[in-house]
Amino acid sequence: MPRTASLGLSLLIMLVAGYAVFAASAWPWKAALFPLAIGVPLFCLAAAEFLWSLLGPAHVKEAVEGDPELEGATRRMLVAAGWMVGFLAAIVLLGFPIAVPLFLLLYLKLQGGEGWVLSVVITVVTSAIFYGLFDAMLHLPFPAGLLFSWLGLA
């Protein structure tokens, strides 16, 4: 069952990424840059996972109910899903320019356990690169978050 699920998921991701690259290839360069930059590596990684699942070793340990390793993996998966949902909520409510540095700082400090200095330095450098690439160089407008629209600030 795990092999079948991995094959199916990697095939689905390959199809979605392939469609994104195909659809974006007809767009103007600035609009197509992000889907292409994400879609091509995603397709390649999903293809590698597909081949690994298809041709790789078949001796995968079966999960047993009550297994501490399975419970730890489930907890880590739920924590990761929570961070992803939180990041999505921050993007929707605050917009990309605020959500990206806020998420990065919180993730480094709370989940990564990094110190304040390293967390702030990485956040500032990443925010500068994000701003320089998407705003200053590509002039991509990011819509204001819903929170600002609701408060009449956008």
Side-chain angles (χ1 to χ4, degrees):
M1 175 65 179
R3 178 175 270 199
T4 305
S6 184
L7 284 169
L9 181 61
S10 56
L11 185 61
L12 177 67
I13 292 172
M14 285 172 57
L15 290 172
V16 170
Y19 175 75
V21 169
F22 175 74
S25 63
W27 299 349
W29 174 244
K30 278 174 58 172
L33 181 62
F34 186 72
L36 290 174
I38 298 299
V40 171
L42 181 62
F43 181 87
C44 294
L45 289 171
E49 172 63 25
F50 181 83
L51 291 174
W52 178 260
S53 296
L54 190 64
L55 305 172
H59 59 285
V60 177
K61 178 185 167 192
E62 285 295 320
V64 179
E65 189 72 30
D67 184 5
E69 188 176 319
L70 176 64
E71 291 172 5
T74 302
R75 183 187 167 283
R76 288 190 305 274
M77 188 251 337
L78 289 173
V79 167
W83 278 103
M84 287 186 259
V85 169
F87 185 45
L88 179 63
I91 290 170
V92 170
L93 292 174
L94 303 172
F96 268 104
I98 295 173
V100 169
L102 178 66
F103 174 81
L104 185 57
L105 180 66
L106 290 174
Y107 186 81
L108 287 170
K109 187 64 187 144
L110 301 176
Q111 186 65 32
E114 299 297 339
W116 278 108
V117 173
L118 183 61
S119 297
V120 169
V121 168
I122 290 174
T123 299
V124 168
V125 169
T126 303
S127 298
I129 292 169
F130 181 82
Y131 172 79
L133 177 64
F134 292 111
D135 195 17
M137 288 178 60
L138 296 174
H139 306 291
L140 293 177
F142 290 107
L146 291 179
L147 185 63
F148 297 113
S149 297
W150 293 336
L151 295 174
L153 301 173

